[in-house]
Amino acid sequence: MKLRDTMERNIRIFLIFIVCLLLKKLPLTNLKASLLIDYKALEGAILRNKSEDDVKKYLEETSNKWLPLHSNESSKAYLVQEERRKDHISHFILRLAYSRTEELRNWFLKYECALFKLRFLRENPTEKQAFLNDENMRWKSLNQAEKKLMKEELNACSIPITTDGEFCDLFEIDFEKVPDLVARRAVYLKEGKAYVPVTQQLSLVMYEFRQRLAKALELASKSFITLRNERIMPMLDEIIKQYDGRTQTSNYSVINNPIADNVHQLVDHFPLCMQHLYQNLCENHHLKHYARIQFNLFLKGIGLTVEESLAFWKKSFSKVDEDKFQRDYAYNIRHNYGVEGKRQDYKPLNCMSLITKHRPNSGEIHGCPFREFSQPNLKAKLVQMGVRNDEHIREILNLAEEEHYQVACTKYFEITKGLLDKNNDSIIIETIEHPNEYLNASVLLEKNRKKMSNKDK
Amino acid sequence: MANFLGESYMDIDDPEVHEDNDVDMIIESSSNKEDDKERNFWKGSTNAKPDKFEIEEGSLELLRVFYKRFFPYKTYCYWLNYSIDPMDKPFQNREFNFVKPGDDEVYMRYLSFDTIEEFKNEVLRVCPKKIDIGAVFTAKPKEKKSLKLSALKPVEKELIFDIDMNDYDEFRTCCSGATICEKCWQLIAVAIKILDSALREDFGFKYLLWVYSGRRGVHCWVCDERARKLSDDERKSIASYLGVIKGGAQQNKKVHLYKNSLHPSLTRAHKIIEEYFERVILEDQEVLKDEREWTKVLECIPDDGVRRRLDDDWRKNSSRHSTEKWDNLLAELESSTKMTKKADSLRVCKIEIMLQYLYPRLDEAVSTKMIHLLKSPFCVHPSTGRVCVPIIPEECENFNPMVVPTISSLYNEINDYDRSHVKNDGERSLHDYEKTSLSPYIKYFDKFVQSILKETLAKNKAAMQMSMEF
């Protein structure tokens, strides 16, 4: 696996390359589709929170089907050159297509990095080293004496020790180059330098790859302006249309023109996260900043207009007088609806966002309860919400502990809506990915059940 | 929880939600910590019903005097410019936010200034009850309306941290709400010591400005060039490195150390905590005195048996001194490690509890985005009237927020001086601040800024020499 650096740097060459491609009338559809399918597979696997091994397997299957790429070793068995050519071409086409806006660039960058990571991990050590040498990725390595000075600290950071009893190879790097290791406190830092064992070399390689590709994308976007070729533009537009990096946005509302008073009637359909916020709101007549955002966007997803939303909050914040409400709270509520400031139309937060972003600090109650509640608190909450069966409680608690928060929530849905049959096997419903999805499913379920029972009458 | 992409840092940007990028919302999240009822300085005592007009006039007048006679304009602008005159991009492209005086929270966003004079005149004209500092942008923020949306992007910003007593309220017993005393101040002091040493020893930062927030917290401005140039992602990774306390209201145990070996940064923090834990946590905050409080400590122990035994023992002997109860706890943990399978987690439990109580509680959101606005040093806290003065980290435990100068105390001091002092011949005329208790703070700030300027100058010289050599 090689990246042709010269090609990466010279945009003009690859633009010409593309034009030649077109002139030769190669079957582009296969090429672009293949890489997109790889990305789609990756994205799907990651969104469903598959483990690293699962993602690897999933991608291998898809890759081998659409865009096989074998290593140098197997060059006797496969037409490696041909495979690589396809891979390169598709990469550059997509690079051009996705260079236009920042959003597209970020999306392309993310998944290209993930793809690179998988491919790099697949290689054997000799190949890896050859690649690093080619790409000039060399870092300052410490000698034994220097390592001895930090012996205690290195041990504390679990730096692996080789069979000779010495520490393995250790690189001295600026901490900015290994943000993922720093974030997890998985590396020893001293005066701005990170001491990265060779076993974590992947982080360094990923960082370099990402930096270089990001730069190249910026360059590509600049040259995009001068690209006016009539044959290329429609093709690139079509590529983006196939997959523009946005996750499916479902039509959220299944309730017609809800008003502020309807909110209370819908509580039984709320997912646990929103029930928790609503309970707190009713008890305290107040919610803190991020809790307000989370709940307000949820209401927006239900279909409340900005006026109805303001009415709802005004009523709920009953201890706040009109002036203070207008001053401190109304602006941000309107902001969520895109009628103030930047006028951005915020979408209701999905489960991923709630689980990973803006984790609650002490005293805060927002986020995903399956993640943020301690096990005893979660158990108490489940009991409070009517889940009495010990087996059910245990199942949900286990799922939460194993960090399968959305699966736990889906299980909670199944249990509380009585979707389990006599053997306690659930009728398979898809894992819930969005609080409004939960609400919609619940509302529709009730509607269907009413219909069924009406039929019986 | 990190998914395949190593989500803790390279997280999935939900393309549908960009609230993180929203500058307007950011202000809300930082000022909303003051949700609780406060003694509003502008309204005077909560008991009296003063003539509103009179009091506001009076307070506005005090603020005006402060900005006219005490605010260190030159040093301040040199600081943000990272160089002496003339003012250049770091200052001219810097975003400021003024909050107009009065009851309503009226913000004047995207302000920027070309000279020190311009800045000073505007401050005197508006007399803001709060000043926030933002990032240095690619263009002058005041020209925002005539620029393309994408033309105004943040370029650099000091790395900032915000420690607020709010986050300690879940176990603070000596005071509640907006009040603060010498006892609970120690919680902040320990946090400062730990964070200061981590930033210097782990990350190699040298120019840290610690500033009292005016009521019950501190801000840290890391002014090194390397810090100013950090991207949002890099800031996030640093905030995550320093974030040990994790969990909201529904999470009782907030510190989980998964490995047996403690990261060197946490070992250092623990050593600092050990010096203060007994006095600050056990004695002053009395976290083992009442059942309600000790239950929170016990919930950090992952063993039912240990919890129950301690709980029973303490209920029968609730008047036992906190330090003795703590010894009980340590003894229980010690003996249990020999028996149960959970030996590892019990061994590390003592450290987890100590970290949970005294490790700095940071608001990650403040540090993560370059565009985040933060209250400026030397402005005035609108509720208390106190000046946001620098704190010397080495002496932070002796810092007493109760004696920090307020705009009215400074007003009285300067009037007393002017009235009583007769200038002798040959005597150097003092700056106004030198006549008051604000003096040491301004002098410290001067020294700090000087040291930064010296380094910038040295760097520029070196760079020039390099280019001349070729």
Side-chain angles (χ1 to χ4, degrees):
Chain A
M1 177 192 84
K2 274 178 184 240
L3 282 173
R4 297 287 303 281
D5 239 17
T6 40
M7 212 173 206
E8 271 182 76
R9 287 193 199 118
N10 200 325
I11 297 299
R12 203 156 280 167
I13 291 181
F14 92 70
L15 282 180
I16 294 171
F17 188 70
I18 301 241
V19 173
C20 292
L21 257 178
L22 295 170
L23 290 175
K24 283 197 197 143
K25 289 184 193 138
L26 285 169
L28 278 174
T29 31
N30 280 352
L31 294 173
K32 72 181 184 223
S34 33
L35 202 60
L36 274 175
I37 285 175
D38 261 5
Y39 284 176
K40 252 183 172 159
L42 251 185
E43 196 178 47
I46 288 164
L47 282 178
R48 261 151 197 74
N49 244 348
K50 293 251 164 57
S51 71
E52 185 164 324
D53 285 328
D54 285 344
V55 175
K56 270 192 203 157
K57 229 177 40 184
Y58 196 23
L59 194 73
E60 285 236 23
E61 289 166 11
T62 325
S63 284
N64 287 335
K65 190 169 170 203
W66 297 100
L67 199 66
L69 204 64
H70 296 95
S71 70
N72 277 335
E73 279 186 339
S74 33
S75 56
K76 299 193 184 104
Y78 300 95
L79 293 162
V80 185
Q81 284 300 339
E82 183 56 37
E83 287 178 349
R84 284 182 193 165
R85 193 163 145 271
K86 269 175 100 175
D87 182 51
H88 290 175
I89 293 173
S90 50
H91 167 86
F92 283 108
I93 293 174
L94 285 186
R95 194 200 280 198
L96 191 60
Y98 282 84
S99 64
R100 248 185 293 189
T101 71
E102 188 166 340
E103 192 180 320
L104 291 174
R105 287 198 295 271
N106 286 338
W107 185 88
F108 178 73
L109 199 61
K110 187 184 311 171
Y111 288 103
E112 188 69 13
C113 286
L115 193 60
F116 173 80
K117 181 177 177 180
L118 281 166
R119 288 175 170 176
F120 185 77
L121 289 174
R122 253 188 355 198
E123 297 290 333
N124 65 40
T126 347
E127 286 293 317
K128 276 191 193 148
Q129 197 50 51
F131 170 71
L132 293 179
N133 291 338
D134 275 345
E135 295 303 320
N136 242 332
M137 292 202 210
R138 277 177 253 271
W139 302 282
K140 177 179 171 198
S141 195
L142 293 186
N143 62 39
Q144 289 305 338
E146 288 167 320
K147 285 186 230 169
K148 267 215 172 74
L149 286 174
M150 307 184 205
K151 189 167 161 207
E152 227 178 274
E153 289 85 354
L154 294 179
N155 272 328
C157 293
S158 316
I159 301 293
I161 296 182
T162 61
T163 42
D164 319 335
E166 301 286 347
F167 286 117
C168 68
D169 267 348
L170 206 62
F171 302 116
E172 183 186 270
I173 314 270
D174 286 332
F175 73 82
E176 290 93 335
K177 299 215 161 130
V178 281
D180 50 341
L181 294 180
V182 169
R184 285 183 286 129
R185 219 180 301 117
V187 67
Y188 175 50
L189 290 187
K190 187 172 167 157
E191 296 187 8
K193 295 285 184 196
Y195 293 93
V196 183
V198 69
T199 43
Q200 296 279 27
Q201 202 183 52
L202 179 65
S203 292
L204 297 170
V205 180
M206 288 307 304
Y207 177 84
E208 276 299 312
F209 179 82
R210 194 190 164 93
Q211 291 296 99
R212 294 185 195 186
L213 187 55
K215 265 204 198 110
L217 275 174
E218 290 271 354
L219 253 121
S221 76
K222 289 193 181 123
S223 55
F224 205 91
I225 304 166
T226 53
L227 187 70
R228 284 268 168 268
N229 188 298
E230 290 164 350
R231 272 187 289 184
I232 301 185
M233 290 302 281
M235 201 175 310
L236 295 177
D237 280 333
E238 205 204 300
I239 293 179
I240 298 180
K241 251 192 243 146
Q242 271 213 17
Y243 199 72
D244 68 356
R246 278 174 233 272
T247 48
Q248 290 297 321
T249 60
S250 52
N251 186 4
Y252 292 117
S253 182
V254 295
I255 298 162
N256 281 329
N257 300 324
I259 60 171
D261 290 331
N262 292 143
V263 178
H264 189 74
Q265 296 157 1
L266 291 168
V267 174
D268 287 334
H269 298 293
F270 286 2
L272 195 61
C273 48
M274 302 302 171
Q275 292 246 18
H276 183 55
L277 294 184
Y278 187 72
Q279 271 173 23
N280 259 274
L281 179 62
C282 291
E283 272 169 31
N284 304 323
H285 306 284
H286 188 271
L287 278 183
K288 288 195 180 188
H289 181 66
Y290 286 114
R292 285 203 300 277
I293 293 179
Q294 183 172 325
F295 198 71
N296 197 36
L297 290 176
F298 176 67
L299 293 181
K300 188 178 173 192
I302 296 179
L304 257 75
T305 61
V306 62
E307 292 88 10
E308 288 302 320
S309 176
L310 282 165
F312 168 80
W313 287 103
K314 181 84 191 46
K315 214 161 70 151
S316 305
F317 273 47
S318 53
K319 294 192 181 159
V320 169
D321 68 39
E322 175 70 39
D323 283 332
K324 184 164 161 76
F325 181 79
Q326 286 305 326
R327 227 177 28 234
D328 295 346
Y329 304 109
Y331 178 88
N332 273 339
I333 295 169
R334 286 196 302 271
H335 203 295
N336 291 156
Y337 277 83
V339 298
E340 294 281 5
K342 212 160 85 162
R343 283 162 208 269
Q344 181 150 1
D345 187 21
Y346 296 99
K347 295 277 187 298
L349 301 166
N350 61 20
C351 292
M352 251 323 177
S353 295
L354 292 180
I355 289 170
T356 59
K357 290 193 172 185
H358 295 302
R359 301 283 308 285
N361 285 332
S362 77
E364 293 179 335
I365 59 165
H366 58 269
C368 171
F370 296 98
R371 180 171 204 193
E372 302 303 341
F373 277 49
S374 62
Q375 291 265 305
N377 285 351
L378 185 56
K379 181 172 178 183
K381 189 74 172 179
L382 291 173
V383 170
Q384 183 204 22
M385 300 306 293
V387 181
R388 296 296 157 84
N389 183 315
D390 278 338
E391 180 67 38
H392 290 164
I393 294 179
R394 212 169 37 82
E395 262 192 88
I396 296 180
L397 290 180
N398 282 345
L399 287 168
E401 192 164 28
E402 286 160 18
E403 299 183 5
H404 302 308
Y405 309 118
Q406 288 165 248
V407 183
C409 183
T410 314
K411 194 91 208 159
Y412 173 78
F413 181 94
E414 291 166 358
I415 291 169
T416 50
K417 310 288 170 191
L419 284 178
L420 305 173
D421 65 17
K422 289 194 199 91
N423 299 331
N424 265 348
D425 290 323
S426 50
I427 304 156
I428 309 281
I429 68 170
E430 277 208 3
T431 308
I432 291 176
E433 292 177 354
H434 199 298
N436 287 90
E437 186 189 324
Y438 186 110
L439 179 129
N440 291 347
S442 178
V443 168
L444 288 173
L445 185 66
E446 191 184 76
K447 277 193 189 153
N448 280 337
R449 281 177 172 167
K450 278 214 184 103
K451 241 193 262 170
M452 299 298 271
S453 69
N454 280 341
K455 273 200 191 141
D456 291 339
K457 281 182 189 148
Chain B
M1 178 186 109
N3 74 355
F4 183 66
L5 290 176
E7 200 165 50
S8 55
Y9 118 81
M10 250 155 65
D11 64 352
I12 287 193
D13 271 329
D14 185 345
E16 300 170 15
V17 181
H18 295 278
E19 92 270 17
D20 287 347
N21 292 331
D22 195 283
V23 186
D24 297 326
M25 291 258 246
I26 304 253
I27 302 180
E28 243 279 66
S29 71
S30 60
S31 70
N32 242 47
K33 284 219 176 116
E34 306 165 4
D35 259 353
D36 35 57
K37 295 183 182 22
E38 54 202 25
R39 178 184 177 280
N40 193 317
F41 186 70
W42 295 97
K43 293 211 171 83
S45 151
T46 44
N47 291 327
K49 271 201 175 173
D51 181 356
K52 199 175 178 190
F53 181 75
E54 200 173 274
I55 290 293
E56 277 184 9
E57 271 282 72
S59 303
L60 193 56
E61 191 48 47
L62 292 176
L63 198 57
R64 197 165 283 134
V65 168
F66 173 78
Y67 280 125
K68 189 148 176 259
R69 302 185 72 172
F70 295 108
F71 190 90
Y73 294 98
K74 222 172 177 189
T75 317
Y76 184 87
C77 295
Y78 285 173
W79 164 43
L80 294 174
N81 196 38
Y82 291 92
S83 163
I84 55 172
D85 279 308
M87 291 296 115
D88 202 349
K89 287 211 177 84
F91 181 76
Q92 293 176 334
N93 289 1
R94 172 82 67 165
E95 182 194 353
F96 290 92
N97 176 53
F98 287 178
V99 180
K100 281 190 175 170
D103 279 339
D104 299 328
E105 295 285 303
V106 180
Y107 295 118
M108 295 170 65
R109 292 293 310 273
Y110 304 108
L111 298 176
S112 68
F113 309 97
D114 292 333
T115 61
I116 305 179
E117 202 61 39
E118 201 187 317
F119 175 70
K120 181 173 180 179
N121 289 340
E122 190 67 359
V123 171
L124 288 173
R125 185 185 73 84
V126 175
C127 228
K129 68 175 182 176
K130 185 163 86 107
I131 301 178
D132 293 311
I133 300 177
V136 178
F137 285 85
T138 42
K140 296 181 186 174
K142 67 179 174 186
E143 293 171 0
K144 182 175 194 256
K145 294 209 172 83
S146 56
L147 294 168
K148 252 191 354 188
L149 196 66
S150 54
L152 206 60
K153 283 207 158 69
V155 172
E156 61 175 59
K157 171 83 183 321
E158 294 73 13
L159 175 63
I160 51 180
F161 294 95
D162 180 357
I163 303 178
D164 193 295
M165 192 68 81
N166 204 8
D167 294 322
Y168 292 81
D169 277 342
E170 64 176 10
F171 68 80
R172 187 167 66 130
T173 54
C174 58
C175 310
S176 66
T179 37
I180 183 174
C181 68
E182 281 157 15
K183 283 190 196 169
C184 46
W185 175 258
Q186 294 303 309
L187 298 170
I188 305 282
V190 175
I192 294 177
K193 282 190 172 336
I194 294 175
L195 192 56
D196 190 74
S197 55
L199 289 171
R200 286 182 207 273
E201 293 171 35
D202 294 345
F203 291 98
F205 295 131
K206 299 211 283 276
Y207 300 101
L208 277 61
L209 183 67
W210 286 94
V211 183
Y212 176 49
S213 75
R215 198 170 56 170
R216 52 180 194 159
V218 279
H219 299 154
C220 179
W221 297 78
V222 185
C223 304
D224 296 54
E225 190 179 349
R226 190 177 182 185
R228 298 190 327 254
K229 296 206 150 54
L230 291 168
S231 69
D232 282 358
D233 277 341
E234 287 155 358
R235 283 160 209 261
K236 188 163 186 197
S237 73
I238 296 178
S240 182
Y241 177 94
L242 297 167
V244 171
I245 315 279
K246 299 196 196 284
Q250 292 296 340
Q251 185 62 258
N252 308 104
K253 184 176 164 73
K254 295 190 159 74
V255 178
H256 294 87
L257 301 171
Y258 292 109
K259 301 185 292 185
N260 285 334
S261 52
L262 214 52
H263 187 278
S265 188
L266 296 185
T267 307
R268 184 203 310 124
H270 181 241
K271 231 180 18 198
I272 297 175
I273 291 174
E274 271 183 327
E275 282 178 53
Y276 297 92
F277 189 77
E278 188 175 314
R279 175 170 59 89
V280 176
I281 296 297
L282 296 178
E283 291 174 1
D284 289 346
Q285 297 303 322
E286 298 184 296
V287 300
L288 295 178
K289 179 166 179 225
D290 299 318
E291 190 189 337
R292 207 176 72 149
E293 298 306 318
W294 81 56
T295 309
K296 294 179 199 165
V297 179
L298 291 181
E299 270 162 354
C300 299
I301 301 175
D303 185 298
D304 270 337
V306 173
R307 284 201 298 270
R308 228 180 315 117
R309 285 193 291 276
L310 288 170
D311 194 49
D312 288 341
D313 186 23
W314 292 344
R315 271 198 228 207
K316 290 186 208 130
N317 300 294
S318 62
S319 59
R320 190 180 294 166
H321 197 265
S322 282
T323 37
E324 211 187 315
K325 286 194 189 122
W326 178 249
D327 288 334
N328 295 151
L329 192 149
L330 294 180
E332 264 291 333
L333 287 177
E334 184 65 43
S335 61
S336 301
T337 57
K338 301 196 177 93
M339 289 189 275
T340 70
K341 286 177 268 177
K342 290 192 196 162
D344 287 344
S345 55
L346 288 177
R347 203 176 297 132
V348 87
C349 189
K350 166 192 166 198
I351 301 180
E352 285 174 333
I353 296 176
M354 292 174 83
L355 290 175
Q356 178 155 328
Y357 277 84
L358 278 180
Y359 193 89
R361 296 184 169 213
L362 304 171
D363 186 354
E364 280 192 29
V366 169
S367 315
T368 310
K369 300 285 173 191
M370 256 197 264
I371 54 177
H372 192 101
L373 293 169
L374 190 66
K375 191 193 298 152
S376 163
F378 287 106
C379 73
V380 177
H381 194 289
S383 305
T384 60
R386 294 209 192 272
V387 180
C388 300
V389 293
I391 298 177
I392 303 175
E394 294 85 357
E395 298 167 20
C396 60
E397 36 188 315
N398 301 325
F399 181 85
N400 185 354
M402 302 299 136
V403 304
V404 169
T406 63
I407 49 177
S408 59
S409 73
L410 287 174
Y411 181 76
N412 292 334
E413 277 183 78
I414 195 76
N415 283 340
D416 286 343
Y417 184 94
D418 286 343
R419 243 181 288 129
S420 60
H421 193 86
V422 176
K423 184 163 173 246
N424 301 323
D425 284 328
E427 190 185 328
R428 171 178 81 89
S429 58
L430 298 173
H431 294 285
D432 279 337
Y433 69 78
E434 287 178 287
K435 306 167 186 168
T436 67
S437 49
L438 195 63
S439 182
Y441 300 107
I442 302 271
K443 290 205 166 117
Y444 178 80
F445 185 56
D446 272 346
K447 226 173 58 179
F448 175 78
V449 175
Q450 261 176 47
S451 65
I452 299 183
L453 294 179
K454 233 173 37 185
E455 160 143 339
T456 328
L457 209 64
K459 267 205 189 124
N460 289 344
K461 234 184 181 175
M464 263 194 10
Q465 277 184 337
M466 281 271 288
S467 61
M468 286 200 288
E469 270 165 37
F470 293 101

